[in-house]
């Protein structure tokens, strides 16, 4: 019984320390904030705005971008409910199988896809940081630029990657970019910038690896690759605003 109580107290102490450090790292702002369904976004009861702890800034303007253009405004509440992914560790194919003479029968691969769906990747700053010292709110037109490449959950050979390109149920794209601009309203005493969260397809499946036509092994892999309309990267434009 004593050991159980001690374990609980230790766990509670560690949690308290971690939370205190996190709060102090964000100027103790989390003390006035409530959790949301996204573990990185809190609701500030003082400003009545949403705060992203990863960027130490508020997010209040969000737009869906398609075909290189802003097509609609998205509420923060709707945005928070969207699935959010971190980019996979590997971005490029790497040679991991032994080299065999080109004259001989070599490796071949077949990709069996289990699922393929649309999702969002947490992106990065895509514009300059614009300051507004005041005295009033002001609206600025900020240019933004972003490029997204495919990524995989494990290192692959070029031939393995080719099997995924040929086997996915939704057209594969290695890389897509966007370069545009949009207006942002910044309150006095704040700075603001555009973050771009790319829209990607997430494919989950297995690669069958064959040597001389004989089955050798299977490789489980998750691949994320950018979606686009007319060659322009799709995604979400997120206004991030921090106090000066």
């Amino acid at each position: 019984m004593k050991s159980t109580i001690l374990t609980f107290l230790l766990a509670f102490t560690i949690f308290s320390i971690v939370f205190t450090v996190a709060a102090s790292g964000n100027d103790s702002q989390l003390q006035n904030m409530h959790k949301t369904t996204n573990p990185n976004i809190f609701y500030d009861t003082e400003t009545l705005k949403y705060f992203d702890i990863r960027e130490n800034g508020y997010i209040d303007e969000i737009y869906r971008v398609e075909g290189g253009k802003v097509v609609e405004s998205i509420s923060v509440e709707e945005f928070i409910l969207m699935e959010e992914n971190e980019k996979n560790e590997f971005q490029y194919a790497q040679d991991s199988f032994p080299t065999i003479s080109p004259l001989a029968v070599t490796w071949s691969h077949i990709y069996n896809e289990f699922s393929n769906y649309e999702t969002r990747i947490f992106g990065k700053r895509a514009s300059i940081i614009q300051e507004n010292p005041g005295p009033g709110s002001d609206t600025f037109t900020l240019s933004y630029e972003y490029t997204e490449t495919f990524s995989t959950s494990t290192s692959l050979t070029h031939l393995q990657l080719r099997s995924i390109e040929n086997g996915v149920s939704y057209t594969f794209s290695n890389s897509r970019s966007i370069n545009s601009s949009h207006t942002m309203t910044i309150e006095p005493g704040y700075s603001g910038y555009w973050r771009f969260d790319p829209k990607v397809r997430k494919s989950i499946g297995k690669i069958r690896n064959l040597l001389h036509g004989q089955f050798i092994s299977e490789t489980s892999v998750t691949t994320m690759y950018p979606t686009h309309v007319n060659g322009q990267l799709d995604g979400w434009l997120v206004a991030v605003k921090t106090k000066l």
Side-chain angles (χ1 to χ4, degrees):
M1 181 66 179
K2 285 185 177 180
S3 62
T4 302
I5 294 174
L6 287 173
T7 301
F8 173 80
L9 290 174
L10 178 60
F12 179 79
T13 302
I14 292 174
F15 172 80
S16 299
I17 293 172
V18 171
F19 183 81
T20 301
V21 171
S24 62
N26 290 286
D27 299 325
S28 300
Q29 293 184 70
L30 295 187
Q31 293 178 1
N32 302 313
M33 299 188 186
H34 295 158
K35 293 180 179 179
T36 69
T37 53
N38 185 317
N40 298 301
I41 299 176
F42 290 73
Y43 183 70
D44 189 333
T45 56
E46 284 192 349
T47 63
L48 305 182
K49 295 180 180 180
Y50 290 91
F51 185 81
D52 193 324
I53 61 175
R54 293 164 296 190
E55 299 181 288
N56 196 33
Y58 294 94
I59 55 175
D60 63 353
E61 292 184 63
I62 302 169
Y63 302 92
R64 185 169 67 86
V65 178
E66 187 175 283
K69 299 179 180 179
V70 168
V71 294
E72 65 175 335
S73 174
I74 302 294
S75 70
V76 182
E77 291 78 11
E78 180 181 350
F79 183 74
I80 289 174
L81 293 176
M82 294 180 185
E83 181 185 60
E84 179 182 280
N85 290 265
E86 295 291 337
K87 190 162 184 174
N88 290 325
E89 180 179 359
F90 297 98
Q91 297 184 33
Y92 303 103
Q94 302 174 9
D95 290 326
S96 58
F97 283 94
T99 302
I100 300 176
S101 168
L103 299 177
V105 177
T106 58
W107 290 98
S108 60
H109 311 278
I110 301 172
Y111 181 61
N112 295 317
E113 186 178 63
F114 303 147
S115 66
N116 188 313
Y117 62 94
E118 189 176 272
T119 187
R120 175 176 64 89
I121 291 179
F122 175 74
K124 59 186 179 182
R125 182 165 65 87
S127 74
I128 64 168
I129 299 174
Q130 176 68 55
E131 295 184 351
N132 180 19
S137 295
D138 207 346
T139 300
F140 303 89
T141 298
L142 299 181
S143 298
Y144 61 92
E145 184 175 1
Y146 194 96
T147 297
E148 181 63 29
T149 59
F150 77 91
S151 63
T152 59
S153 58
T154 186
S155 178
L156 301 175
T157 68
H158 292 290
L159 288 178
Q160 286 178 314
L161 178 60
R162 182 61 59 85
S163 74
I164 294 176
E165 294 178 12
N166 295 331
V168 294
S169 57
Y170 189 95
T171 306
F172 186 88
S173 178
N174 282 285
S175 176
R176 292 293 166 179
S177 300
I178 186 170
N179 188 332
S180 189
S181 63
H182 196 67
T183 58
M184 177 191 298
T185 301
I186 304 176
E187 297 176 357
Y190 281 81
S191 65
Y193 62 85
W194 288 121
R195 186 184 86 210
F196 194 85
D197 287 3
K199 183 188 297 184
V200 300
R201 301 295 302 191
K202 187 174 184 178
S203 174
I204 301 172
K206 286 187 176 182
I207 301 174
R208 289 175 55 83
N209 305 303
L210 300 92
L211 180 62
H212 299 288
Q214 298 297 313
F215 174 79
I216 299 298
S217 64
E218 282 188 329
T219 303
S220 296
V221 61
T222 297
T223 305
M224 292 191 285
Y225 56 96
T227 70
H228 62 96
V229 173
N230 300 324
Q232 295 278 344
L233 177 66
D234 293 340
W236 290 267
L237 200 55
V238 183
V240 180
K241 299 168 186 178
T242 57
K243 291 183 178 179
L244 295 177

